[in-house]
Amino acid sequence: MRVDIRDRVIVITGAGRGLGRALALGLAEEGARVAVLARDERQAARTVKEITALVPGAPEPLGVAVDVADEAQVRAAAAAVDAHWGRVDALINNAGWMPPLSGVLDLDLTDLRRVVDSNLVGCFLMTKHFAPVMIRGGGGRIIYVSSMIGVQANPGQSAYGATKAGVNILANVAHRELADQGIRTVALAPGLTDTPGMRASVDDAYVDRIAASYPGGRLGQPEDLVSFAAFLCSDAASHLSGTLLPIRPVTG
């Protein structure tokens, strides 16, 4: 079956930079109607402008400022997208934060709460308020951007790993609860991906060590996930739901 997402309404959180920006641009190139959600209104507007400038003929994107951990803002964002297009075909829960490496005994409570809000609470709230719009239209796809750290965390990444493990379980539970209403869910778990957020959270030695374990010494790039996302948002993936898809080079 051909992967075709033309004119599908795809909502992407954390789309102001990094992986979310790459997904917004890449899926717009495939003809999707992209809703660019970002906490910073200026970042959302910048990605919208980039799509317009770099993807000739792409459907006009919609920029929405939202803190995914604030339920009132998420509710308003869902209403804004619904009012603009009248439907949602796919939601990509990408917004998140990687805190600085810290041992369990030294973990700052403020960092812990921020990473839980960004990575896990946001996924719950986005699912809660966008899934009903999908269901009303006959169903849709929810992609949770997880991490291999949610499967096997490294020392210093207890908080990040715990939230991503929670995202993996959420994807499965949402499938069990919503599949009969036409919702398909998948957690994507990439390896270390070269984004500004990642670079701000770990030092060069950590990056070099992980990269050295990948074939060719190459970290994942944000653009690497676009084809997976396009496939999952298309009818070609209609029988795939409730599972975790690891996306990283095989090592060893």
Side-chain angles (χ1 to χ4, degrees), residues 25 28-31 49-59:
L25 285 163
E29 288 180 354
E30 296 296 323
K49 289 180 180 178
E50 286 184 300
I51 292 172
T52 302
L54 300 176
V55 190

Side-chain angles (χ1 to χ4, degrees), residues 116-191:
V116 170
D117 279 349
S118 298
N119 297 3
L120 190 55
V121 173
C123 288
F124 272 98
L125 293 179
M126 290 294 297
T127 301
K128 176 181 177 180
H129 291 286
F130 278 83
V133 182
M134 295 183 187
I135 292 168
R136 190 193 65 211
R141 317 298 162 83
I142 303 178
I143 300 171
Y144 299 89
V145 178
S146 181
S147 169
M148 287 306 298
I149 295 173
V151 178
Q152 180 63 61
N154 296 316
Q157 295 178 319
S158 59
Y160 187 77
T163 58
K164 291 302 186 179
V167 166
N168 298 341
I169 293 298
L170 174 59
N172 181 263
V173 174
H175 155 74
R176 293 173 181 271
E177 293 182 358
L178 303 175
D180 289 345
Q181 299 177 76
I183 301 294
R184 301 290 180 263
T185 69
V186 169
L188 284 180

Side-chain angles (χ1 to χ4, degrees), residues 45-123:
R46 184 169 62 241
T47 299
V48 166
K49 289 180 180 178
E50 286 184 300
I51 292 172
T52 302
L54 300 176
V55 190
E60 184 178 355
L62 173 68
V64 180
V66 58
D67 179 349
V68 296
D70 184 313
E71 185 163 19
Q73 291 189 35
V74 172
R75 185 185 295 111
V81 175
D82 192 14
H84 190 76
W85 279 308
R87 71 179 199 272
V88 171
D89 300 306
L91 164 65
I92 302 179
N93 283 307
N94 166 73
W97 180 61
M98 177 183 285
L101 297 181
S102 175
V104 175
L105 303 185
D106 300 315
L107 184 62
D108 184 86
L109 182 58
T110 300
D111 284 349
L112 174 60
R113 286 176 170 158
R114 179 181 171 186
V115 73
V116 170
D117 279 349
S118 298
N119 297 3
L120 190 55
V121 173
C123 288

Side-chain angles (χ1 to χ4, degrees), residues 19 24 40-41 43 57 79-80 88 102 153 169 175 180 196 231 237 240:
L19 177 55
D40 187 320
E41 183 176 4
Q43 288 188 348
V88 171
S102 175
I169 293 298
H175 155 74
D180 289 345
F231 165 71
L240 184 64

